[in-house]
Amino acid sequence: MVAYAEKVFKVKNGKKTTKFTWRSRYKKPDGTWGSEPGFPTKRLAEEWGERQEVAISEGRWVDPELSRKKFGGFVTEWMAAQKPRGRTTMNRWERLESHVLPRWKDTQLGAFNWFDVEAWARELALTAARSTVRDCVQLMSRIMNGAVDKRYVTVNPLAGRRLTGLPADTVKRKSDEETVAEPEVVLQLARRLGPVYGLHVITVAWTGLRWEELAGLHRRNALLERRQKHDGGVFTCPVIRIDEDEGVLAEYTVRDEDGKRRAFRALEPPKNAKSARDVDVPPFLAQLLEKHLADWPHDFVFTTKTGKWWWRSYWFEVLRPAADGRDERKPGRGRPASPAWESIMRGLTMRDLRHTHDSWQEEIGVAPVLGYEQMGHKYPGIKGTYRHPTPPMRKFRLEGLQGLYERAMRNLGWESVWEG
């Protein structure tokens, strides 16, 4: 061992005093001398230097200077090294900038401890949803794992820790009644929106497809055919294909090298392997889609009337008054008159319609392994390996969904969804 200690005299008013502390000196891997000041005794300084040299010889040494790097600086480095889907990147930056960095950006990586992080999380939970708080802490832990991998720190003090003592969630959640729509409600909303936009709503409710899956659906994947051997013949049904190669419509913000943001839309692969799938379409919906495609001049099935991809915010402006209701609007400059609309289901969202579909599957008794597949979810446990959907399961599901449509049409007294 070559580590040693040296005196460091304190200075007051530009003059050296008789008071001193000890500085540890040790040989770094590149042969240069490292130092660490501030030890009260010579022995402590020597022992600290010796521990550094042992760690160096065993290949587990972390430069103390690197552990003093600030969290905010490392966040930029860590985020630049990640390559998740664009929307995931956007969500991470939102968590970091809104909640994490205001508190932790100037904290040294080596100064983190679970006690302080958990106390901060409890305070954050007073104004943010529990899910947001957990997401923030999990993201911080992943970043600290990166710091360990980069050899900036030896351990991640957040790894494997569980948040406890969070206050009651302050975010009001929708009730089941506010989340799951009746079939009659979906059809009324579709009629109000008209055959172009209304079909989008019906398709989500009767297939459970995600927003980005339908917004990026190309017409060549809209009505394909499933064929499976069954009962001495072949079971067939129309399907919508979420194609791994075609992708789904991703919408998020991206940053240039200067940190400036811009909106971005493009087709990207589905979020995971289970999301790439064929979704069985009930007969009535297949007929509606076939009629729509016969008259629709654009390549993508669900777009604006001019064939442009939807922005989520623009669709929101279309859906909200249709679901929530609106006051009568007089004609104005370049704007036609609009009649008043009563509320059909206030607050309904496209995500609620996806929840609605999965709830309907449960209501009509769809086999869980098929229900998971159709929603693009992984069936849990070992049964996800051994169980597979069969043609009778598929027929039962399609008959159940068709029955929900036919019953709703009878209850409404309608012959067709759209008049005229």
Side-chain angles (χ1 to χ4, degrees), residues 282-302:
F284 86 91
L285 181 55
Q287 293 173 5
L288 293 177
L289 285 167
E290 187 175 11
K291 183 178 179 181
H292 170 67
L293 290 171
D295 300 329
W296 191 242
H298 308 299
D299 289 338
F300 290 88
V301 181
F302 297 105

Side-chain angles (χ1 to χ4, degrees), residues 14-29:
K15 295 182 180 181
K16 185 171 69 173
T17 68
T18 58
K19 295 181 179 180
F20 60 87
T21 57
W22 292 91
R23 176 166 54 203
S24 176
R25 299 282 285 170
Y26 61 97
K27 188 67 71 69
K28 296 169 69 173

Side-chain angles (χ1 to χ4, degrees), residues 328-338:
E328 180 183 4
R329 189 172 64 185
K330 302 296 183 183
R333 184 177 300 173
R335 184 188 67 189
S338 299

Side-chain angles (χ1 to χ4, degrees), residues 137-172:
V137 174
Q138 289 170 4
L139 179 56
M140 291 171 66
S141 184
R142 291 192 65 182
I143 293 170
M144 289 300 295
N145 280 338
V148 173
D149 295 339
K150 190 72 173 177
R151 303 195 68 137
Y152 285 179
V153 291
T154 54
V155 296
N156 173 12
L158 314 187
R161 302 304 297 265
R162 181 182 175 186
L163 285 171
T164 59
L166 295 182
D169 206 330
T170 58
V171 176
K172 182 182 181 297

Side-chain angles (χ1 to χ4, degrees), residues 254-377:
V254 295
R255 299 163 183 251
D256 59 22
E257 294 179 354
D258 297 325
K260 293 182 179 180
R261 308 178 197 181
R262 61 179 176 86
F264 177 82
R265 281 182 303 176
L267 293 175
E268 290 187 349
K271 63 187 300 184
N272 52 47
K274 291 296 181 181
S275 294
R277 66 200 188 280
D278 287 347
V279 179
D280 302 336
V281 178
F284 86 91
L285 181 55
Q287 293 173 5
L288 293 177
L289 285 167
E290 187 175 11
K291 183 178 179 181
H292 170 67
L293 290 171
D295 300 329
W296 191 242
H298 308 299
D299 289 338
F300 290 88
V301 181
F302 297 105
T303 65
T304 67
K305 291 177 181 178
T306 59
K308 294 180 179 179
W309 281 331
W310 284 106
W311 289 104
R312 286 176 186 259
S313 57
Y314 185 18
W315 176 257
F316 184 86
E317 292 177 5
V318 172
L319 180 64
R320 284 277 51 82
D324 300 348
R326 70 182 181 196
D327 296 330
E328 180 183 4
R329 189 172 64 185
K330 302 296 183 183
R333 184 177 300 173
R335 184 188 67 189
S338 299
W341 280 346
E342 295 292 330
S343 172
I344 292 178
M345 185 171 176
R346 190 174 298 278
L348 182 70
T349 65
M350 300 300 277
R351 184 176 180 83
D352 291 338
L353 290 174
R354 181 165 154 82
H355 284 227
T356 290
H357 178 77
D358 211 18
S359 300
W360 287 356
Q361 289 196 124
E362 189 76 13
E363 178 182 322
I364 63 179
V366 174
V369 68
L370 175 58
Y372 273 76
E373 177 213 73
Q374 294 290 280
M375 294 295 289
H377 293 154

Side-chain angles (χ1 to χ4, degrees), residues 405-419:
Y405 167 76
E406 293 176 355
R407 186 193 70 192
M409 292 292 285
R410 287 195 303 270
N411 291 341
L412 292 169
W414 292 358
E415 294 293 328
S416 61
V417 179
W418 294 286
E419 301 170 300

